[in-house]
């Protein structure tokens, strides 16, 4: 498992470490993209790949490890991995895990969006609520339909839909991060108020009014 390696030298270490490199299935027939609705029936050993992979879980549960972080994920959850990441999966249920998988070259994505996901400090998992997951699945159904068909401006449509899914992923990922960070900030504000006004008769209401909550 990768243990805090710097991105600059990480890939050289990975390539020489014996970690499995995933096949570039999405490059078949000259495509830069692969869309697959699949069932994961067994554990996936630690590996890396030179494309971006995002997978949404429809059913089942798994333990997902990316770099040095491990997450318990189920229906409505998703994860993303860039070429700078190593990851693995361990199935936690008797039944297969149903997944919708998007694999694409880095050049397929908006550069700003790619940079946000390539950040080594990013958590790279998202947990949508039921309504959000329904909306994302609808986009993925459109993706699968267009990917398997031949239609006018097919490549432009696919690129737009892929980026829409990943923008939704990024919004949820950053919202989840805010849930962790905001309480810490509020606690520090309260501590600062108490330290500055400890001689006063403070109440919960007066402190809450001061920080507008």
């Amino acid at each position: 498992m990768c243990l805090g390696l710097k991105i600059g030298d990480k890939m050289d270490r990975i390539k020489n470490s014996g970690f499995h490199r995933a096949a570039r299935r999405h490059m078949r027939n000259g495509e830069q993209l692969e869309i697959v609705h699949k069932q994961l029936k067994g554990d996936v050993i630690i590996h890396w790949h030179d494309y971006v992979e995002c997978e949404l879980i429809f059913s089942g549960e798994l333990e997902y490890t990316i770099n040095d972080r491990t997450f318990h994920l189920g229906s409505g959850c998703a994860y993303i991995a860039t070429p700078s990441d190593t990851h693995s999966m361990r199935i936690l249920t008797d039944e297969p895990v149903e997944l919708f998988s998007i694999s694409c070259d880095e050049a397929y994505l908006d550069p700003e969006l790619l940079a946000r996901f390539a950040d080594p400090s990013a958590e790279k998992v998202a947990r949508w609520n039921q309504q959000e997951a329904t909306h994302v699945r609808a986009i993925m159904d459109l993706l699968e339909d267009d990917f398997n068909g031949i239609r006018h401006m097919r490549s432009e449509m696919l690129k737009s839909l892929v980026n829409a899914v990943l923008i939704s992923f990024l919004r949820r990922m950053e919202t989840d991060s805010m849930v962790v960070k905001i309480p810490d900030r509020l606690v520090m504000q309260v501590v600062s108020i108490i330290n500055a006004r400890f001689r006063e008769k403070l109440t919960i209401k007066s402190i809450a009014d001061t920080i507008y909550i």
Side-chain angles (χ1 to χ4, degrees), residues 147-192:
F147 182 76
N148 293 322
I150 300 176
R151 298 180 178 178
H152 181 56
M153 298 188 71
R154 171 180 178 270
S155 60
E156 290 82 1
M157 184 65 168
L158 289 172
K159 191 169 186 178
S160 296
L161 290 172
V162 167
N163 280 276
V165 170
L166 296 188
I167 288 171
S168 178
F169 185 110
L170 182 66
R171 286 176 174 175
R172 173 47 55 191
M173 183 178 78
E174 294 188 340
T175 298
D176 289 344
S177 297
M178 288 173 61
V179 169
V180 174
K181 294 175 182 177
I182 287 176
D184 292 340
R185 176 176 57 80
L186 293 177
V187 168
M188 292 308 298
Q189 283 183 284
V190 172
V191 170
S192 296

Side-chain angles (χ1 to χ4, degrees), residues 27-168:
M27 291 300 291
R28 290 179 304 183
N29 303 320
E31 293 273 12
Q32 290 183 302
L33 173 72
E34 183 181 57
I35 304 296
V36 180
H37 187 181
K38 63 183 181 180
Q39 289 189 333
L40 190 61
K41 298 181 179 180
D43 299 344
V44 179
I45 63 173
I46 189 166
H47 66 282
W48 66 280
H49 34 63
D50 54 3
Y51 53 88
V52 177
E53 178 182 69
C54 179
E55 296 187 322
L56 172 66
I57 301 171
F58 288 156
S59 65
E61 296 181 4
L62 57 80
E63 182 181 87
Y64 178 68
T65 299
I66 180 166
N67 303 325
D68 57 348
R69 300 180 182 181
T70 299
F71 304 90
H72 186 145
L73 303 178
S75 178
C77 296
Y79 50 83
I80 191 167
T82 70
S84 63
D85 301 311
T86 60
H87 62 166
S88 62
M89 301 83 163
R90 186 169 68 89
I91 306 297
L92 299 177
T93 51
D94 294 333
E95 298 298 320
V97 174
E98 183 186 4
L99 295 170
F100 192 103
S101 178
I102 300 172
S103 302
C104 63
D105 284 350
E106 291 178 286
Y108 205 81
L109 304 181
D110 179 270
E112 182 179 350
L113 188 60
L114 178 62
R116 302 283 280 277
F117 286 122
D119 179 356
S121 65
E123 195 167 78
K124 303 187 183 181
V125 300
R127 296 174 175 85
W128 283 294
N129 60 39
Q130 185 174 358
Q131 184 178 21
E132 291 169 335
T134 299
H135 291 163
V136 172
R137 180 158 188 171
I139 298 175
M140 289 183 164
D141 287 340
L142 289 174
L143 258 173
E144 187 175 29
D145 190 40
D146 261 67
F147 182 76
N148 293 322
I150 300 176
R151 298 180 178 178
H152 181 56
M153 298 188 71
R154 171 180 178 270
S155 60
E156 290 82 1
M157 184 65 168
L158 289 172
K159 191 169 186 178
S160 296
L161 290 172
V162 167
N163 280 276
V165 170
L166 296 188
I167 288 171
S168 178

